[in-house]
Amino acid sequence: MNIRQAKEFIKDSVTLYLKKDRLGEYRIPVVRQRPIFLLGAPGIGKTAVMEQVASELGIALVSYSMTHHTRQSALGLPYIVTKTYDKKERQVSEYTMSEIIASVYETMEESGVKEGILFLDEINCVSETLAPSMLQFLQYKTFGRHKVPEGWIIVTAGNPPEYNRSVREFDVVTMDRLKVLEVEADYDAWKLYAREAGIHGAVNSFLELHKEYFYHVETTVKGRHYVTARGWEDLSEILYLYEEEGLKVTEALVSQYIRNEKIDKEFCAYYDLYQKYKKDYHIDEILSGSISDALVAKAKDAPFDERLSLLGMLLDKTIARCKEIMETAAYLQEMTAPLKAVKSAGDQSEMLKQQLEARKQLLEKQIMSGALLPEQKRKHIRIIQFLEGAGKDGAAKDEEIFALIKTAYDKEVAQMKQEVITCKENLSSLFAFVEKAFGEGNELLVLVTELTVNNDSAGFIASFGCEEYQKQNERLMISERTDRLVQQIRELEL
């Protein structure tokens, strides 16, 4: 299965493990809650998926890499205590709490979230001294004499032996206590994530042309060469920063992330071409509606890879704007609660301070839960900054505070409404250009599909509408239904 399928399976399993009966007992007893074991190549997004699952289920997440753990750190350190047995004092060995179990309790205390996922990465790379204890842990959720708290589901991950020399292959007895998910690198699954995560357009377009380069591992006389999803994502981040600083992207830079000489050279050549396309096609002008006949003719006569790159650049820009608007809409929607609280308060200044402090505490708790996604963190920070800015005017009278806040809030709402209008115009211009340049070819199908499967663009269109999208989407669906009917008629030999 691919990583997106694995995510849904994990999400469903955790949901069922946390299901309780009418007496408050877990429907599946803890001893029968088999830990999940994600087995897959490095860098395919196993850790990112766990953050998404925890966030979507509203539970906490504690992550640990098992490679650095010794028997003592995982199970606890021994110490001597005195106990009385049969009226005689005896010295007995006890153990301190496991560092891992203690982290779970600390997360519960600091976040206030009582259920969660304990994610143990590199589980099949544990030290030789710790390996015998893993069987007990996987079945009874116990390290030493200390149990994982009820309501905490164990998910583990590891790499196959061919990727990691430190791997210890589990025997049948151990594997029989796990729910094993073998995850393969899948470009189409990663592509959906890449658009939403804002992966650099050059990376997206290059991989669309060379899907076989998405994940590539080989061993030659020069050593092992590898390209992973993690490598592409890290390269994307550095490309943005290099462009901001006006630095030249070279093979020496790319090779630090893409550890394959052939792919490194090809990407660098494509990156230079991608920058040329950006200058030649004036993406912002196309999206603003300035579509010249010369530009349409150039796109129409362009080879396949150039068309695909152009469409990718237009989509990247459009989806990024949709994402910004949807995040702003979510932020403004959540701002209504503190605004109402300040408006109805007798002491508006004091209520403003309380709302600000409450939001800071909420952000801190969610950070401590380990399941706070980047977009959620940005939303909290924007609310905090707004409330801090509203409280800076110390000379304002108490009855004026809400009026000042409301004015600032209305200004941001008006600004977002203008951005919505601009983004809808961009979408209309995008459809107009694609139709003029490519007619009803595959490019139009790709455009509609990408806007449909991306959460941000789909959310924007659902919230604010887009006539051109609706028209083309309905046409393509009718075409699909017609094709199915024709096929059915042929099968009936009518």
Side-chain angles (χ1 to χ4, degrees):
M1 66 176 64
N2 62 45
I3 194 65
R4 291 181 73 89
Q5 292 168 330
K7 173 190 170 181
E8 292 307 313
F9 187 90
I10 293 168
K11 189 174 177 180
D12 291 343
S13 296
V14 172
T15 301
L16 294 176
Y17 282 171
L18 295 178
K19 191 176 180 64
K20 295 180 179 180
D21 61 22
R22 59 188 181 84
L23 299 177
E25 297 293 321
Y26 289 103
R27 293 281 298 274
I28 301 177
V30 173
V31 72
R32 298 295 176 206
Q33 293 180 4
R34 286 194 174 197
I36 298 166
F37 180 37
L38 279 172
L39 182 63
I44 60 175
K46 297 187 287 289
T47 303
V49 158
M50 299 316 307
E51 294 172 352
Q52 294 169 18
V53 169
S55 176
E56 290 171 16
L57 293 179
I59 59 179
L61 174 68
V62 172
S63 299
Y64 260 95
S65 173
M66 296 303 293
T67 53
H68 73 281
H69 274 289
T70 63
R71 186 177 187 277
Q72 288 74 23
S73 63
L75 303 183
L77 295 171
Y79 63 95
I80 305 298
V81 297
T82 301
K83 292 189 175 182
T84 302
Y85 298 117
D86 196 21
K87 299 181 180 180
K88 291 184 179 180
E89 289 188 346
R90 309 284 186 182
Q91 289 189 320
V92 181
S93 295
E94 291 281 2
Y95 284 84
T96 59
M97 181 174 283
S98 159
E99 176 188 325
I100 297 171
I101 304 297
S103 293
V104 173
Y105 279 106
E106 286 176 9
T107 298
M108 293 169 65
E109 289 293 324
E110 294 174 357
S111 70
V113 181
K114 301 304 181 184
E115 295 180 326
I117 296 172
L118 174 58
F119 178 57
L120 303 180
D121 201 3
E122 309 292 353
I123 191 73
N124 52 354
C125 291
V126 295
S127 64
E128 188 174 348
T129 57
L130 182 56
S133 302
M134 292 310 299
L135 187 63
Q136 177 195 24
F137 169 72
L138 294 173
Q139 172 127 24
Y140 298 105
K141 321 299 184 294
T142 302
F143 269 130
R145 298 185 64 179
H146 302 281
K147 283 190 173 185
V148 176
E150 283 195 352
W152 280 76
I153 310 305
I154 297 168
V155 181
T156 66
N159 305 135
E162 59 266 30
Y163 295 104
N164 193 331
R165 294 177 182 175
S166 303
V167 164
R168 304 168 59 86
E169 291 196 60
F170 287 152
D171 53 31
V172 173
V173 175
T174 303
M175 294 293 281
D176 191 41
R177 285 161 172 76
L178 298 167
K179 295 175 74 168
V180 182
L181 304 182
E182 295 188 20
V183 185
E184 298 177 348
D186 185 310
Y187 169 70
D188 290 327
W190 184 80
K191 176 183 170 182
L192 298 176
Y193 162 78
R195 289 277 188 210
E196 293 169 6
I199 300 298
H200 195 285
V203 172
N204 288 332
S205 297
F206 178 75
L207 291 177
E208 192 66 28
L209 292 167
H210 301 284
K211 295 180 181 180
E212 70 276 14
Y213 291 163
F214 167 61
Y215 205 98
H216 190 82
V217 179
E218 64 176 339
T219 302
T220 68
V221 292
K222 294 183 179 180
R224 175 161 286 193
H225 306 277
Y226 54 91
V227 181
T228 69
R230 182 188 293 120
W232 288 117
E233 187 165 3
D234 291 346
L235 174 62
S236 169
E237 291 290 331
I238 203 68
L239 287 177
Y240 281 123
L241 293 175
Y242 261 62
E243 290 170 0
E244 285 180 19
E245 298 297 323
L247 301 175
K248 182 174 177 55
V249 174
T250 63
E251 289 181 19
L253 170 70
V254 176
S255 66
Q256 296 168 28
Y257 302 91
I258 307 305
R259 304 294 295 164
N260 181 291
E261 187 175 354
K262 178 176 181 290
I263 299 175
D264 174 16
K265 289 180 180 295
E266 288 193 32
F267 176 79
C268 286
Y270 177 80
Y271 178 81
D272 291 339
L273 196 60
Y274 183 86
Q275 296 303 317
K276 180 179 180 298
Y277 292 157
K278 285 177 71 174
K279 292 179 181 177
D280 289 350
Y281 283 101
H282 309 289
I283 302 302
D284 286 330
E285 290 183 17
I286 292 175
L287 293 177
S288 66
S290 301
I291 307 172
S292 67
D293 292 338
L295 203 59
V296 170
K298 178 178 175 60
K300 187 178 294 185
D301 296 336
F304 171 73
D305 59 341
E306 187 170 328
R307 288 183 173 200
L308 199 61
S309 299
L310 171 59
L311 188 57
M313 287 185 282
L314 291 166
L315 278 165
D316 286 338
K317 195 81 171 182
T318 304
I319 289 174
R321 288 175 178 171
C322 289
K323 182 181 182 68
E324 289 176 5
I325 290 171
M326 295 310 293
E327 286 194 4
T328 298
Y331 146 69
L332 291 173
Q333 177 64 31
E334 194 149 334
M335 269 296 303
T336 58
L339 279 173
K340 289 177 180 178
V342 172
K343 180 182 180 180
S344 59
D347 188 337
Q348 294 185 350
S349 177
E350 180 60 29
M351 178 55 70
L352 178 61
K353 292 178 183 177
Q354 290 178 14
Q355 291 295 318
L356 176 59
E357 186 59 32
R359 181 61 58 168
K360 287 180 178 179
Q361 290 178 6
L362 177 61
L363 174 59
E364 185 177 350
K365 285 186 175 182
Q366 291 192 356
I367 290 174
M368 292 309 303
S369 75
L372 184 65
L373 297 179
E375 59 268 25
Q376 295 171 334
K377 185 176 182 180
R378 289 193 294 269
K379 179 179 68 177
H380 289 311
I381 291 173
R382 290 180 73 175
I383 293 174
I384 289 170
Q385 290 176 343
F386 181 93
L387 295 175
E388 285 178 336
K392 284 182 179 178
D393 191 358
K397 297 179 181 178
D398 190 69
E399 61 272 14
E400 297 175 340
I401 289 176
F402 175 75
L404 291 171
I405 297 175
K406 185 66 165 55
T407 300
Y409 178 80
D410 289 343
K411 184 178 179 181
E412 293 201 26
V413 171
Q415 183 178 342
M416 190 199 77
K417 287 181 178 179
Q418 184 57 52
E419 290 171 356
V420 168
I421 293 171
T422 302
C423 191
K424 290 180 70 173
E425 291 173 350
N426 291 162
L427 279 166
S428 298
S429 299
L430 175 55
F431 274 97
F433 175 77
V434 171
E435 288 175 15
K436 284 183 181 180
F438 310 124
E440 296 181 355
N442 289 333
E443 291 82 1
L444 189 58
L445 176 60
V446 170
L447 173 59
V448 173
T449 302
E450 291 291 337
L451 293 174
T452 301
V453 299
N454 181 271
N455 287 338
D456 297 306
S457 55
F460 177 89
I461 292 170
S463 299
F464 306 108
C466 175
E467 291 181 8
E468 293 77 11
Y469 168 85
Q470 298 296 347
K471 181 181 71 175
Q472 294 299 335
N473 191 36
E474 288 174 9
R475 185 187 67 79
L476 290 168
M477 288 176 67
I478 290 171
S479 176
E480 290 174 6
R481 288 198 296 270
T482 302
D483 291 343
R484 286 198 297 269
L485 286 171
V486 170
Q487 182 61 33
Q488 289 171 5
I489 291 170
R490 285 174 180 169
E491 290 174 357
L492 291 171
E493 299 181 352
L494 297 177

